[in-house]
Amino acid sequence: MTPGTPRPASRRPSRRPERTDVLRLPDGREMWIRPVNPLDAGPIDGAFQLLNEDEVRRRYLHPVKALSPEYLHALVNPVPGEHFAVVAAEPLPPGEALVGALARLDRDPGSDSAEFAILVSHFLAGQGLGLALMRRLVEWAQANGIRHIWGDVLDDNTAMIALAQAVGFRREHIPGAFGEVRVTLDLDDAPAPRRRR
């Protein structure tokens, strides 16, 4: 089995966050939910160019015109145990597959907390990918000693806030930050995420 190839559906599901899951979207498309690969840098950069200004603003909290080479390199080469990134991509090898969604966790230095970020392209919005990606982030966090996941979200990003609250995040005020809220999940209190059947 080549790297990135999903496990046959007949096998017992793995709980390893590094696995590849096959997800059939409600519109019939098939996506692979898998860890990011260094070869994804080009497709991720290409996908960024297709995002509208509002998508970029909601993900980065401010306008971003382009992804720097340094940012892309760090994104597709996460440090084991410190960073984790997972993509929703076409069922093709990394480098050839279009990447339609991406989620990542960055451990706060020297702590048991980590910041999350999720971006789902408008081409795939409303298909349940955000929830699938969030579940993978939670699995990785639990496997790597993370006890708290947090993220800052624009308060008009109602879809992200609703997703976070559905998973069990609580919403908090950020002193001095106008237009943003913080969502936090305490994994000690959170049940292990259930896999799709």
Side-chain angles (χ1 to χ4, degrees):
M1 186 176 293
T2 58
T5 302
R7 298 177 183 276
S10 60
R11 290 192 182 181
R12 187 176 178 182
S14 167
R15 294 294 295 172
R16 295 184 306 107
E18 297 80 12
R19 71 183 183 275
T20 294
D21 290 332
V22 178
L23 182 65
R24 178 74 63 178
L25 302 183
D27 66 6
R29 284 180 287 181
E30 182 179 286
M31 302 296 290
W32 284 0
I33 309 297
R34 59 167 174 79
V36 73
N37 183 288
L39 296 176
D40 290 320
I44 289 173
D45 191 37
F48 180 85
Q49 305 304 321
L50 301 176
L51 299 176
N52 60 49
E53 290 183 6
D54 195 50
E55 287 176 294
V56 173
R57 180 183 65 87
R58 289 183 175 182
R59 162 59 186 87
Y60 294 98
L61 308 183
H62 57 82
V64 176
K65 296 298 183 183
L67 302 180
S68 70
E70 296 78 15
Y71 176 86
L72 271 172
H73 181 269
L75 183 63
V76 300
N77 293 279
V79 177
E82 299 298 318
H83 309 284
F84 177 67
V86 62
V87 298
E90 290 181 301
L92 293 170
E96 299 178 25
L98 295 176
V99 174
L102 180 135
R104 68 176 299 173
L105 270 180
D106 295 311
R107 185 191 293 268
D108 297 324
S111 77
D112 60 0
S113 66
E115 180 182 11
F116 82 89
I118 295 179
L119 175 60
V120 177
S121 165
H122 61 275
F123 296 108
L124 293 169
Q127 304 276 337
L129 279 173
L131 182 58
L133 294 171
M134 181 66 84
R135 285 175 171 155
R136 289 292 291 272
L137 295 185
V138 170
E139 287 179 11
W140 183 88
Q142 291 174 326
N144 285 272
I146 300 294
R147 299 178 63 192
H148 312 281
I149 299 176
W150 65 276
D152 292 342
V153 184
L154 293 177
D155 58 12
D156 66 354
N157 190 350
T158 55
M160 185 68 252
I161 293 172
L163 168 63
Q165 291 179 324
V167 174
F169 283 74
R170 68 178 182 275
R171 182 173 172 167
E172 301 174 345
H173 173 69
I174 307 173
F178 177 76
E180 296 178 25
V181 296
R182 177 163 293 174
V183 291
T184 305
L185 179 66
D186 295 322
L187 295 181
D188 290 344
D189 302 327
R194 287 181 286 184
R195 286 174 52 80
R196 296 170 64 98
R197 292 184 183 272

